[in-house]
Amino acid sequence: MSEIDPGAVALEAADQISQPAAEREVGRRRLRKEDARLVTGQTNWTDNIQFPGMVHMAVLRSPMAHARITRIDVSAALERPGVLAAYSGRDLADEQGALPCAWPVTPDMKHPNHPPLAVDEVRYVGDGVAVVVARDRYAAADALDAIEVDYEPLPAVVDMERALKDEVLVHSELGTNRCFTWPFAGGDYDAAKAKADVVVTRRFLQQRLIPTAMEPRSVVVAPIAAAGEYTVYSATQIPHILRLMLAMVTGTPEHKIRVIAPDVGGGFGSKLNVYAEEVLALVVAKRLGQPVKWTETRSEGYQATIHGRDQIQDIEVAAKSDGTLLGLKVDLMADMGAYLQLVTPGVPLLGAFMFNAIYKMEGYSFTCHGVFTTKTPTDAYRGAGRPEATFAVERIMDELAAELGMDPMELRRKNWIQHDEFPYTTIAGLTYDSGNYEAATAKAMELFDYDGLRREQEKRRADNDPVQLGIGISTFTEMCGLAPSRVLGSLSYGAGGWEAAAIRMLPTGKVEVVTGTAPHGQGHVTAWSQIAADALGVPFEDVEVIHSDTRAAPQGMDTYGSRSLVVGGVAVHLACQKVLDKAKRVAAHLLEASEGDVEFAGGSFTVKGSPDAKLSIQEVALATFASHNFPEGMEPTLNSDYVMDPENFSFPHGTHLCATEVDTETGFVKIRKYVAVDDVGKVINPIIVEGQVHGGLAQGIAQALYEEALYDADGNLTTGTLVDYYVPTAADLPRFTTDRTETPATSNPLGVKGVGEAGTIASTPAVVNAVVDALRPRGVVDVPMPCSPEHVWRALQQGGAK
Amino acid sequence: MTRIRTTVDGVRYEDEVEPRLLLVHYLRDRLGRTGTPVGCDTSNCGACTVHLNGSAVRSCTVLAVQADGAEVTTIQGLASNGEWHPVQKAFHERHALQCGYCTPGMIMAAVDLLKDNPTPSEDEVREGLEGNLCRCTGYQNIVDAVLQASGQKEGVSP
Amino acid sequence: MIPPEFDYVRVSSIDEATSALAGGGEDAKVLAGGQSLIPLLRLRLAYPSTLVDVGGIADMKGVREDGDAIVIGASTTHAEVLGDPVVQKHAPLVALATATVADRQVRHRGTFGGSLSHADPAGDLPAVAAALDASFVIASSGGGRRTVGAGEFFSDYLQTAIGPGELLVEVRIPKLGDGWGFHYEKFHRVAQAWAIVGVAAAVRRSNGDIAEARIGLTNMGPTPVRARAVESALAGVAVEASAVGEAAAKADDGTSPPSDLGGQADYRRHLVRVLTRRAVMAAAGT
């Protein structure tokens, strides 16, 4: 073998060194690197994956909300051609473990054992009771029909207030349906109330929602049985957490599991979980030694994938007659469903710190009861506790304004934190670092033509127009960038909130950014490329972002809670700073200058006072690779890691204004205008931010007007398919007017705040406030969500009776 | 089993299939054309939209046997000689996709819409795409992309 | 998601079809566009033994004029019906309602006859067929043909007068002369949703007033309903909202609207009165 001439290698590589970047990337409307594969169908969804010898798993699910399994016989399934195996819960009892809940919110929280397949008792329609494994999905579907199960019905309980009476127990061994009671207080609410001139009380219902990410859940487990190694491909938002949990649940050594989230088609929290089918696919793959695939059908997923929201909210606000807020009291019942999935009990508590919202007050009291019912478990869905909180406070502000005869915007303005009061520690104990509610509101009012629409509203009222106009306001903030680890610990959440980034400088100066985030539509590859390109002065195209594979990106806390940019993107930036520190040391050495005299700009190192001394970062990378002429004692690498643990949550905010036309004859609601002015701090890519706002608005508006997961008294999910669960189409949503103000975060060096959930959090109350505003003169003080035509019509019938 | 002959993205195929085999499964599982996804089981989401003899259909609501003798174009057959279709280009330029799962069906539906109505109004675009669900984008950029592809909207440069 | 197993035969003539249907027994089903049937199969709500694919029968496709009626072949797709100049000229109410059926993709496959044979009272076309006094030509084995009026055709919820071994081959719609205006008012939650209530209205004006009206109701009972009380009350009425509204107040006479996820019966009764007024006003050209 001939000797490799390092000089020749260096010359060849030098040809590939690209020109340094000319303009800033951060803030630029960069088109996405992610798109090329997606618009041409060169995708790698989990369900696309095929392996030699791969078999298909299907799950038999209980059609009953609550029953004892008295007999289960899989033998007829086993006799069908093409069927390799069929297992009941009892068959897998020793291997399947129990699904984890990572958030024991109180020391006495009731935590029912949650086997992936039910063994003795089923507790919701959709609870899995058996699996079949067959050569293809058609054979698997047929085999399910052949399994015989006898159920002894038990009573269902779907209403939370009834469940709390403990007459019908979901888990008899727990002795109660009350999962936990979590109290929280700031200041003294009773003292505040005692001073009040007016107290307004309302009950609001947060209906149950079904996240409906476009990609159905799917998992493929590919074993190398002889080595005890398992690669798990899952449509998941949490590849790292999933790896840890699969190891703990199944007893498989953690280092023998590799989790890959291939292309993932949306999550919105519904893929932030550890699901029965992921565990079962691993257990079955272990047994059979063959790759196993499971993909849900949509209607199956409607039962088997977590639901969102589902709260009964009793809200009380106490104020002075001039509109000064004194205090807020919140009593919640939160429906857990039949079991606790990964963060089920914690979701309503995330909202606990947000009911006070952007307002100053003297006392705040919060109590949440988690309640078991015989329904699909709930868990995080876009906003996870904060939309529920924002809805309640923004609705009651409108109710208070009506009670006081005050303009609802003026009431808000009077009570919100003023721009010059930041940083501000709220009654809930959070310190909002920065914000400018005045600026966002002024911009929104102008874009909305608030005064003009109020005039039109007056005219329609005077004319008794059958179509009335309503104006709804939502001035919101949210807490995201989850989260400082110590805060999560204080709330008893099982994991930390840091995020990891590793930067690798390749010899030709190309950059690999290894991130612990797990994007599923948010554009991290593009945005992290922009961050790294700016930090390192390299071209945007020279950056490759590696993610969602625990072998390639081993360290991470994954993507949810609008955390990825605030924690993960900042980690990328800070890791790049470490690279620069190392590169500067190398450059100083090569340029024979002291480090203090070396400057870095536009991708190059220069020496103060020596105009000819210049080295590009690519040249430094190549020199590091060769390490011939290198600082004494320095490891020959520029590669650097940063694990970022945020010091605080981040607090984006905004002002949303919605105008609705309400047809008082039919109850039909049409959004006439929707304006969203959001402040998400500094923005890396405005296109991505706008897209996140649009998508968030669509889901929040859908909660206000269209979506509801309904159960009948027997626990059947009656809105069990897209036929009856109304996800809006392009024809059902308006054009949005969006704009931004930019008040940088002070808690991270990029000044970013996160945007993923903001649109959803803000929009629901803006729409409902508008509907109620349109109808208030006719005696309507609330319309339960969704504000369907029938709900509106009935509210009008009741209001007219007053 | 029934013998069917189809042309899919320009390639002729001949296969024995069960009558109940859905066209989308024929494409994905038998032919390996995985660019066309499945998003639901009640013919609502439109993610599986392909062109059958030039018209947009839900490939999950067509039996493979019904496609015997037909020409099928999927998202993977839309570009021509490596050149993206104007709708693909516009989707990229207007950020009309986030996770990308609905995108193949949305693009195929949009191409079909523009074939019948080359210069649609915004309302006509929204109505024309009512058979396709998206959960990520809120549709606004999709509408703008289709208007751009029709030559009617330049709007804010991306 | 995955249909159950069934046999399949593709036929190329009406006689072959009726023969196959007769031979297949009670569990043989017609496959036309499949936009109603395939969803049922995928949810395993139907277990046909044999599907007889009539999609390629040339005699069942197309629209033609036949004297004082137009004839729509049962296998004509919704898209083809929508775009047909004979339909647009002589039965515009059919086009108006067909334009609201589902979405473009469904309309490229679903057929006029298939949709009517499915006989879902929440579908848009049965109410139109009822309003226009359509008649249904049904074939049986050995070349037999019989014609059945809309009232008899829609016998019950999801049930028609088509017997075992029979096949709907075409639908005749009488031409209405001059002076008629049309409107289909479909009230639904979101674009893809079925009508909570729908009103198909054909109104003839004479000297400015309403001379006669034909009104078919969607989703006000197990079959499409002719709002005959409204039709009678509208004769001679001025085209003016309160007068029309008074007649439209009878819209729920003789109906038995369901209470379901789409709405409770009392709401439907209220809605149909409002929507009938609006449909008639629109059809009358205001």
Side-chain angles (χ1 to χ4, degrees), chain B residues 1-4 14-18 21 26 30:
Chain B
M1 295 293 245
T2 305
R3 178 166 225 89
I4 61 169
E14 209 171 294
D15 278 293
E16 295 278 338
V17 301
E18 279 189 275
L21 181 67
Y26 177 63
R30 288 290 282 273

Side-chain angles (χ1 to χ4, degrees), chain A residues 409-467:
Chain A
M409 185 59 87
E410 287 321 300
L411 177 64
R412 288 168 166 83
R413 193 186 299 279
K414 189 181 175 59
N415 288 289
W416 70 39
I417 302 158
Q418 309 282 326
H419 176 50
D420 58 11
E421 289 178 295
F422 289 94
Y424 183 90
T425 301
T426 71
I427 195 69
L430 292 178
T431 300
Y432 297 171
D433 60 333
S434 71
N436 193 336
Y437 309 139
E438 294 88 339
T441 300
K443 201 171 232 186
M445 301 276 272
E446 194 194 309
L447 285 169
F448 189 70
D449 184 23
Y450 185 86
D451 294 332
L453 285 167
R454 282 285 182 214
R455 282 195 297 275
E456 181 183 337
Q457 181 179 55
E458 272 317 300
K459 178 161 195 327
R460 285 183 187 249
R461 284 179 176 166
D463 292 347
N464 208 26
D465 197 321
V467 177

Side-chain angles (χ1 to χ4, degrees), chain B residues 111-134:
Chain B
V111 170
D112 179 73
L113 170 66
L114 291 177
K115 184 169 52 83
D116 284 349
N117 187 354
T119 50
S121 67
E122 168 155 356
D123 281 348
E124 286 170 334
V125 173
R126 287 181 180 272
E127 208 180 293
L129 294 178
E130 65 190 344
N132 292 77
L133 296 179
C134 172

Side-chain angles (χ1 to χ4, degrees), chain A residues 29-43 45 47-48 50 56 137-139 142 210-216 264-266 268 293 297-300 381-382 520-523 687-692 694-696 698-699 702 707 721-723 725 727-738, chain B residues 18 20-23 25-26 28-30 32 34-42 44-47 75-79 84 87-89 91-104 107 122-123 125-144 147 153 156-158:
Chain A
R29 301 179 73 90
R30 270 283 184 188
L31 298 185
R32 297 196 325 167
K33 291 181 173 180
E34 291 88 336
D35 289 352
R37 296 188 310 106
L38 300 174
V39 300
T40 54
Q42 292 170 51
T43 40
W45 313 112
D47 188 66
N48 292 3
Q50 305 244 34
H56 291 255
R137 38 176 126 240
Y138 281 55
D142 292 340
I210 304 180
T212 318
M214 288 317 298
E215 181 205 19
V264 178
F268 314 111
K293 175 190 279 185
T297 73
R298 178 62 65 183
S299 50
E300 177 184 18
Y381 169 55
R382 199 163 197 171
H520 40 283
Q522 297 91 333
I687 308 181
I688 291 179
V689 166
E690 283 157 20
Q692 287 295 310
H694 291 170
Q699 289 184 331
E707 293 179 36
T721 72
L722 281 165
V723 176
Y725 186 81
V727 172
T729 67
D732 304 304
L733 290 170
R735 178 164 283 276
F736 313 118
T737 302
T738 64
Chain B
E18 279 189 275
R20 63 170 171 164
L21 181 67
L22 302 175
L23 177 60
H25 288 145
Y26 177 63
R28 289 178 58 74
D29 298 335
R30 288 290 282 273
T34 53
T36 302
V38 174
C40 78
D41 55 358
T42 50
N44 289 102
C45 80
I75 185 70
Q76 292 169 270
L78 194 62
W84 285 4
V87 172
Q88 287 170 304
K89 187 161 173 292
F91 266 59
H92 172 54
E93 289 174 2
R94 301 310 301 240
H95 187 42
L97 63 148
Q98 291 179 25
C99 83
Y101 199 78
C102 78
T103 304
I107 288 176
E122 168 155 356
D123 281 348
V125 173
R126 287 181 180 272
E127 208 180 293
L129 294 178
E130 65 190 344
N132 292 77
L133 296 179
C134 172
R135 216 37 177 158
C136 290
T137 68
Y139 303 105
Q140 186 150 316
N141 288 351
I142 292 173
V143 172
D144 284 345
L147 290 171
K153 184 181 180 115
V156 178
S157 68

Side-chain angles (χ1 to χ4, degrees), chain A residues 563-745:
Chain A
R563 67 187 302 271
S564 293
L565 173 59
V566 178
V567 194
V570 170
V572 170
H573 174 79
L574 292 170
C576 287
Q577 303 309 311
K578 282 190 177 177
V579 167
L580 287 179
D581 288 344
K582 293 179 183 173
K584 186 184 256 196
R585 193 173 162 198
V586 175
H589 177 87
L590 292 174
L591 293 170
E592 293 171 356
S594 80
E595 271 189 69
D597 289 335
V598 174
E599 295 172 322
F600 179 73
S604 290
F605 295 93
T606 53
V607 179
K608 273 188 270 197
S610 303
D612 295 328
K614 187 172 175 172
L615 272 180
S616 71
I617 192 165
Q618 289 85 359
E619 288 170 311
V620 172
L622 188 58
T624 303
F625 170 73
S627 311
H628 296 154
N629 180 6
F630 213 70
E632 183 81 27
M634 178 178 169
E635 286 179 61
T637 180
L638 299 178
N639 296 346
S640 301
D641 286 20
Y642 197 100
V643 182
M644 160 78 177
D645 199 333
E647 61 178 61
N648 194 359
F649 298 93
S650 65
F651 302 98
H653 69 84
T655 298
H656 288 215
L657 296 171
C658 178
T660 54
E661 290 178 2
V662 182
D663 182 334
T664 59
E665 287 191 295
T666 64
F668 194 83
V669 175
K670 182 177 158 201
I671 294 181
R672 160 91 164 269
K673 196 169 199 181
Y674 196 99
V675 169
V677 175
D678 294 297
D679 192 320
V680 297
K682 302 293 284 178
V683 160
I684 307 299
N685 188 327
I687 308 181
I688 291 179
V689 166
E690 283 157 20
Q692 287 295 310
V693 171
H694 291 170
L697 294 180
Q699 289 184 331
I701 290 169
Q703 176 171 12
L705 296 180
Y706 302 123
E707 293 179 36
E708 183 173 20
L710 284 168
Y711 280 84
D712 67 17
D714 294 327
N716 297 302
L717 176 64
T718 56
T719 54
T721 72
L722 281 165
V723 176
D724 296 308
Y725 186 81
Y726 302 126
V727 172
T729 67
D732 304 304
L733 290 170
R735 178 164 283 276
F736 313 118
T737 302
T738 64
D739 206 335
R740 291 189 299 110
T741 54
E742 202 170 281
T743 313

